[in-house]
Amino acid sequence: MTLDWAFLLITAVNLVAVIGLLLNLGGVLTWVERKQAAVMANRIGANRCYIPVPVPAKAPGGGWKVRWSKRFTLVGLFHAIADGMKMLTKEDYTPPFVNRFIYNLAPFIAFVTVFATFAVIPFGGPVEPARLLDGPLLSGIGALDGARAWLAGFFGDGSGAARTFRLQLADLDIGVLYVFAVSGTGVFAAALAGWSSNNKFSLLGGLRASAQMISYEVALGLSVIGLFLIHGTVDLGRIVDQQQSLWMWGIVLQPHMFFLFLAANIAENKRIPFDMPEGESELVAGYFTEYSAMKMGMFMMSEFVAIAVIAGLVTTLFFGGYHVPFLYDDGFHFGESVVPLSHLTVVVLRLASFTLKVLVLCWFQILIRWTLPKFRYDQVMRLGWKMLLPISLANLVLTAGIAQIVNAR
Amino acid sequence: MASPHLPGLKDFEVRDDPAYPFPHRYRLARTEEEREEEELDTRMIINIGPSHPAMHGTIKMVVELDGETITAVDVIPGYLHRGFEKEAEAHTYNQVIPYTDRLNYCSPLINNFGYCETVEKLFEVKVPERCEYVRVIMSELSRITDHLTAVGAALMELGAMTAFLYMIEQRDYLWEHIAHVTGARMTQSYARVGGLARDVTPDWLERTRTLFREQLVPRLQDIHGLLDRNRIFIDRMRGVGIVSREDAINYGFTGPVLRSTGVQLDCRRYSPYSIYDRFEFDVPTGKYGDNYDRYFVRMREMEESIRIVEQAIDSIPGGPIRVDDARVSLPPKAEVYGNIEALMNHFKLIMEGPRPPAGEKYHAVEGGNGELGFYVVSDGTGRPYKCRVRPPSFIHMGGIHLMLLGHQVADIVPVFGQINMIGGECDR
C-alpha cells in the first residue's frame, strides 16, 4: 500500500488552517469582546498596548536623534498578544491542597475538546487542485504552466482524472454525533477542575457545570434532529451540500430551532446569561477559582475558541455552511442567467462566506453576553428541562410527521 | 399608622396589603440552639467574604448551604471600622466634616449636610434661604448618584455589565458636575456649620438642567427599556429577598428597603427637615418588598429627585450662603485683616472650633439608603463630646438573613446589592 501523499498534504493544510484559524480567532475574540463591550457601553476600550515606532527628531544641540515617541496601537489589537504573554509568563501557582494530577489535567481537557469539535466542520467548498490555476486571468500566464502541470499530476488519481478534496479536517459519517460526543466530554473539564481544586466555590461551580452541561446536551441534540430528518443524514458535509439553495438553509427550514440551538450552545459554553458554573459574582470564578497563569488562560481561551466553534457549527447547520446564495460550482446562477466564475474564485468566495458568517455569529454571541443579565442556577435548569426540551421534542414530532408526508408523496 | 420607633411624628401612609403572591420563604429560620444541635449532614458551611467580589466594601457572611439553598446566614460586619465616632471627639466641629464624607461615599454630600444640620440644631441657628436651596439641590444630586451606584452595582453582579456602565457613566457626569462647585468628585467636604463652602453660579444651575435633559433622563429611560420587562431580570429579582412589612418595621429598616414593602416612610416627608416641605414630590413605594420593588423604588426616586432639583432651581433665591453669626461663620477676609475682633474670632473658630451651647440633638436626614441620623452631644467646648451616627446600612445588615433564608446562593448577590450596604457607613 502506498501513501496517499496528496491526501496527506491536503489534510496537513486543513489542519494548519483549522488550528491557525481557531487559535487566532480565539485570540482576536478576546479583543473583540473588549472592544465591542466598550462600544456598547459608550467607552473607548482596549487601546493601551502599543509598539513604539522610532521617529527622527531634532536634537537640542543640532543634528538628529531617534525618539520612540510614536505609538503604533493598531486599535488595541496587541492586547490579545499582551494577554497571552502575561499569562504565559506569570507564576503558575498550584495550591498545595489540590489533587495535582486531575488539577493539571482539567484545563487540557477543556482545550482539546473544543478544538476537536471543529474537525468535522466543513469550512470551504470542494476543491479540485488541478483546476485551481484555470480561469480567464490566470490561464493566460504561461509562467504558471509548470505549476499547473504539477498540480494536475500530484493531485490526479493516476488515470488522468482530477480528484476533489473537501476543506474539512475529518469527513466523518457520524458528523454531528461526533460533535455532541466531543463537546459532551468537555463537561469533564469543568467537573474535574471543580472537584480537584478542593475549594468550596470550585466545588459548587463544578457541580453546576456538570448539571448544566449535561442538561443542555439533551436539548442541544434534540433541537437539530429535525434538521437531520429533513436532510436525511448527520454528516455535516452532506448537510451543507443540501443547503446549496437558500430555501434549504436551516434558518429557513427550522428558524425556531436556531434560537434553541444557539441558546443550548451558549449554555454549553457557560457564558452569560448561562455562566452559572463561573458565577463570577457569587462563586468568585467558579470551577477555575484555584487556577492561575496559563492554566486559567486555557480555560479562558477554550471559552473564546468555543465561541468560534459554536459559530462554525451554527453556520454549518443553519446558515448553509460555506455556501453563498446563488453561487454554484461554476458561478452565480440567477434563474436562467449565469455569471461564470473560475474555480479559484469560487473556492475563495466560499471560504470568505464561511468566515464572514462565523464572524457575524461570534459578534452576535458577544452581543448577547453584554446585553443580558444572567440566570440563576435553578432557572437555568428549569429553562433547559421545562422549556427547551419540550419545545425540541414537539418540534421533533412535528418535523417527523411533515417529513413522513413529504417523503410519501 | 403611627411610627412605632419614632412616636409623635407625622403619621405615614401604608398602602393596602395586596394578596401576597410569593411564599414567605424565610419561615425556614431556625434558632441558634436548634442549629447547633443539628448535624451538618448534607449541608456545607461556606465563608463569603470579607474578600469576595460580591461583598462590596468588606463584610463577611458565613452561609450554611444545603445544596444551593441557604439555610442559615451569619453576617459579620466591622472590617471597615475606622473609629469615626471616636475620632470625631478629638476634632473641632468643622474638622469632623471631611470624616462624614467617608461614611456613605456614594452620596457624601448628604452626610455632610446631615452632620452640619445637627450641629446647627445645637447652635439653634437657621441657615440662609439660598443655602437651604443649594443643600437640597446637592442632596438630591447625591441621592441620584447613590441610587445610580446601587442599582448599577446590583446589575453588574447580575451580569448586566452594559447597564451598569450606562449608570456609572451618568454617575460620573453628575460627580463631575458637582465637582465644578465643590472642587472634588467624591470627598467633597462642601458643607460648613452654618452654611456652605462655596456658592453656586446661575450658569451651573442651568447646566444642571441641561445635564438632566440631555444625559440622565434619556439614559434612565434606556435602563428601564433594558431591564423592566426583561424576563431574566424579573426572574432574578421578583420574589427574591422578600421582607415583610412587619419585619421591616420591627428591624428598623428605612429607605428604599422599607419603602419597597409599601410603607411610605421618608424623612423628607414625615419629618420635613431643611425646606423639603416646600417641594412637590412623591414617595414611591413598592408592593411586595422584594428586589424588583427595591430596584423600582430607586429608579422612581431618581425621577423624584430630578423633580425636586428642578423645582429648587426654579425658585432659588439670592443672598448669602452662610449664616451671619459670629459663633459659627468665619468673618470675611477683609474684616480679618482689617480689625482685631474679626481676627480673634477667626483664630478662635479655627483653633477651638465653633462652640455650641451644651446639650444634645438628634437629627435625621434621608440618606441614599435610608434614615441617616446624627446624634451629637455638646459639652460647650469646640469639640463634640459624642458624635453618634445611625447608619441605615448597619441596621439593614441586622435583618439581611430574613431576605436570604431559603433562597439560592446566587441570590445573595442581588439581595445584597439592592440593600446597597456601604462599608464606610455600616462600619464607620
Side-chain angles (χ1 to χ4, degrees), chain B residues 335-390:
Chain B
E335 293 282 311
V336 176
Y337 294 131
N339 75 54
I340 186 67
E341 284 79 14
L343 180 64
M344 279 166 66
N345 188 14
H346 189 276
F347 179 81
K348 294 282 260 185
L349 278 176
I350 296 292
M351 298 308 289
E352 288 177 3
R355 299 164 68 152
E360 53 187 282
K361 279 285 185 293
Y362 176 80
H363 177 73
V365 293
E366 183 67 23
N369 296 326
E371 178 181 329
L372 175 73
F374 286 90
Y375 172 67
V376 181
V377 181
S378 159
D379 56 358
T381 63
R383 287 149 213 262
Y385 178 75
K386 170 73 187 169
C387 177
R388 153 92 186 140
V389 184
R390 182 217 185 268

Side-chain angles (χ1 to χ4, degrees), chain A residues 209-222:
Chain A
S210 29
Q212 174 182 327
M213 290 174 78
I214 290 169
S215 308
Y216 277 80
E217 195 81 10
V218 180
L220 187 69
L222 283 174

Side-chain angles (χ1 to χ4, degrees), chain B residues 190-219:
Chain B
Y190 176 57
R192 296 287 180 273
V193 176
L196 297 164
R198 279 168 288 275
D199 198 358
V200 298
T201 61
D203 183 41
W204 185 84
L205 293 172
E206 211 38 59
R207 286 210 306 278
T208 312
R209 273 190 220 273
T210 319
L211 191 65
F212 285 162
R213 195 177 56 243
E214 287 174 3
Q215 291 289 339
L216 189 61
V217 175
R219 219 12 101 74

Side-chain angles (χ1 to χ4, degrees), chain A residues 369-381:
Chain A
R369 186 248 176 275
W370 289 99
T371 309
L372 294 179
K374 63 191 184 190
F375 287 106
R376 201 171 58 206
Y377 170 62
D378 58 329
Q379 292 164 350
V380 168
M381 300 306 278

Side-chain angles (χ1 to χ4, degrees), chain B residues 276-424:
Chain B
Y276 274 105
D277 45 358
R278 295 184 201 173
F279 300 113
E280 213 172 278
F281 62 98
D282 291 336
V283 178
T285 54
K287 252 182 168 180
Y288 306 126
D290 59 6
N291 274 340
Y292 191 78
D293 281 355
R294 265 163 244 157
Y295 156 76
F296 234 94
V297 164
R298 284 208 163 87
M299 292 297 280
R300 281 282 293 114
E301 268 181 33
M302 281 191 251
E303 288 161 23
E304 294 306 320
S305 293
I306 291 172
R307 256 176 89 189
I308 297 176
V309 171
E310 284 181 342
Q311 288 173 53
I313 291 175
D314 284 337
S315 51
I316 187 167
I321 50 153
R322 269 186 290 270
V323 66
D324 186 19
D325 187 330
R327 292 179 303 160
V328 288
S329 294
L330 291 176
K333 274 286 181 288
E335 293 282 311
V336 176
Y337 294 131
N339 75 54
I340 186 67
E341 284 79 14
L343 180 64
M344 279 166 66
N345 188 14
H346 189 276
F347 179 81
K348 294 282 260 185
L349 278 176
I350 296 292
M351 298 308 289
E352 288 177 3
R355 299 164 68 152
E360 53 187 282
K361 279 285 185 293
Y362 176 80
H363 177 73
V365 293
E366 183 67 23
N369 296 326
E371 178 181 329
L372 175 73
F374 286 90
Y375 172 67
V376 181
V377 181
S378 159
D379 56 358
T381 63
R383 287 149 213 262
Y385 178 75
K386 170 73 187 169
C387 177
R388 153 92 186 140
V389 184
R390 182 217 185 268
S393 290
F394 183 70
I395 286 148
H396 292 154
M397 282 301 104
I400 191 173
H401 60 282
L402 298 175
M403 309 180 194
L404 287 178
L405 284 176
H407 284 304
Q408 304 262 309
V409 66
D411 289 328
I412 294 177
V413 179
V415 168
F416 201 71
Q418 283 302 334
I419 287 180
N420 191 23
M421 199 273 316
I422 304 288

Side-chain angles (χ1 to χ4, degrees), chain B residues 11 15 21 28 56 70 168 190 195 203 249 280 334 361 387 415:
Chain B
D11 288 359
R15 305 255 164 103
L28 284 167
H56 26 132
I70 300 165
I168 292 303
Y190 176 57
D203 183 41
I249 292 174
E280 213 172 278
K361 279 285 185 293
C387 177
V415 168

